[in-house]
Amino acid sequence: MKNHKPWRNAPLQEAVFEIRFPSIADYALFAGGMAMSQKEDFPKTLKLHADIPEMIELAGLVKHRFISKDESLLFQTGSDVLSINSIRYSGFSDFLESIQKILIGTEKFINISNFTRLGLRYINKFSNVEDPSTILNINLPFNDMDVSKTQLLQIHKINDEGMLQAINIQFPAAPKDLILDLDVSLNLPQQSWDVNAISSWADKAHDIIWDKFQALISDSEKEVRI
């Protein structure tokens, strides 16, 4: 794990770790078991999408949200998905520790080793932006693109280790915000990993996101945030 010095005024809104797995037959056992085993750290539980009938299965649909005492962290469960969301991010080492702890609890109810997808995502927001080029170092993929008329830019590539790296830039958003969404994911339906292997992958994914974030942010923006 690299030692990344936190920024004084970071634009990060939310960090999300996600693992998907084959749909489980007894979701009620999974959700109830997680509610009981994590109750001390996540005492508040919300049921989501109550308007969707139980017999309807939608891939990646989260059905319950479990919120920490200080509301800085939450995790969400569905019949084929678990996400862990840091709302008030205090650094990757703390976030990774929370991921590991929740995954260990999850192992009691589902087999996480045969996952279908791993994902790590960092969502950043820059407010009151007039010109995206003052915030980001953007290399446009096409010579005839006009960044002032481009509301959504998505760039995807796969590295040598099979990780899909995604850069999503949205501007303007509500009404002059710029959203920089950085995501790294891995699809391995035939692999079998334990919590340590998944944690190691998350560590690598975080380093990729950090390096890309550092390269994308302009020097002038760094001056007011670092």
Side-chain angles (χ1 to χ4, degrees):
M1 183 186 300
K2 296 180 181 178
N3 183 21
H4 302 300
K5 184 179 179 180
W7 286 19
R8 173 180 54 83
N9 182 23
L12 182 66
Q13 296 295 292
E14 185 176 3
V16 184
F17 170 83
E18 182 188 79
I19 181 170
R20 295 196 184 190
F21 38 84
S23 183
I24 55 178
D26 194 345
Y27 171 72
L29 177 64
F30 174 37
M34 291 298 289
M36 292 300 297
S37 66
Q38 305 295 322
K39 187 175 182 178
E40 182 176 351
D41 293 329
F42 298 87
K44 185 177 180 180
T45 302
L46 298 177
K47 185 175 182 180
L48 309 175
H49 305 296
D51 56 327
I52 299 178
E54 289 292 332
M55 70 284 298
I56 296 179
E57 289 289 341
L58 299 176
L61 179 70
V62 293
K63 299 181 178 181
H64 288 87
R65 178 176 297 157
F66 306 87
I67 304 171
S68 67
K69 294 176 181 178
D70 63 359
E71 299 187 349
S72 66
L73 186 72
L74 61 90
F75 72 91
Q76 303 180 117
T77 59
S79 59
D80 63 350
V81 63
L82 167 75
S83 77
I84 303 167
N85 307 53
S86 177
I87 309 301
R88 292 200 295 273
Y89 189 78
S90 59
F92 182 67
S93 59
D94 290 342
F95 188 38
L96 183 60
E97 184 178 341
S98 298
I99 291 170
Q100 292 170 330
K101 187 174 181 180
I102 293 171
L103 284 180
I104 290 171
T106 302
E107 283 188 307
K108 299 175 183 177
F109 307 101
I110 62 172
N111 180 8
I112 66 170
S113 63
N114 293 321
F115 63 85
T116 58
R117 182 185 187 273
L118 292 178
L120 186 66
R121 181 182 180 193
Y122 281 68
I123 304 169
N124 303 275
K125 184 178 78 171
F126 302 84
S127 300
N128 301 316
V129 177
E130 296 291 342
D131 181 358
S133 65
T134 64
I135 305 295
L136 303 178
N137 300 314
I138 305 174
N139 295 318
L140 297 179
F142 306 107
N143 293 331
D144 61 347
M145 281 189 66
D146 184 350
V147 71
S148 66
K149 297 180 181 179
T150 302
Q151 292 186 328
L152 180 64
L153 179 62
Q154 296 180 315
I155 302 172
H156 294 183
K157 74 172 186 177
I158 298 178
N159 68 7
D160 294 338
E161 297 184 53
M163 295 185 185
L164 175 63
Q165 303 172 35
I167 302 171
N168 300 292
I169 301 168
Q170 183 180 354
F171 177 81
K176 287 187 177 182
D177 294 342
L178 184 150
I179 305 298
L180 174 61
D181 187 339
L182 302 174
D183 181 273
V184 174
S185 61
L186 183 68
N187 298 307
L188 280 177
Q190 300 303 320
Q191 290 290 336
S192 180
W193 289 11
D194 59 14
V195 171
N196 288 334
I198 292 173
S199 299
S200 179
W201 177 88
D203 192 9
K204 291 180 181 178
H206 172 261
D207 286 342
I208 291 171
I209 291 174
W210 174 262
D211 290 343
K212 183 59 64 177
F213 175 77
Q214 290 278 59
L216 280 170
I217 305 302
S218 67
D219 290 339
S220 59
E221 187 66 17
K222 287 178 181 176
E223 287 179 3
V224 300
R225 289 185 177 275
I226 294 180

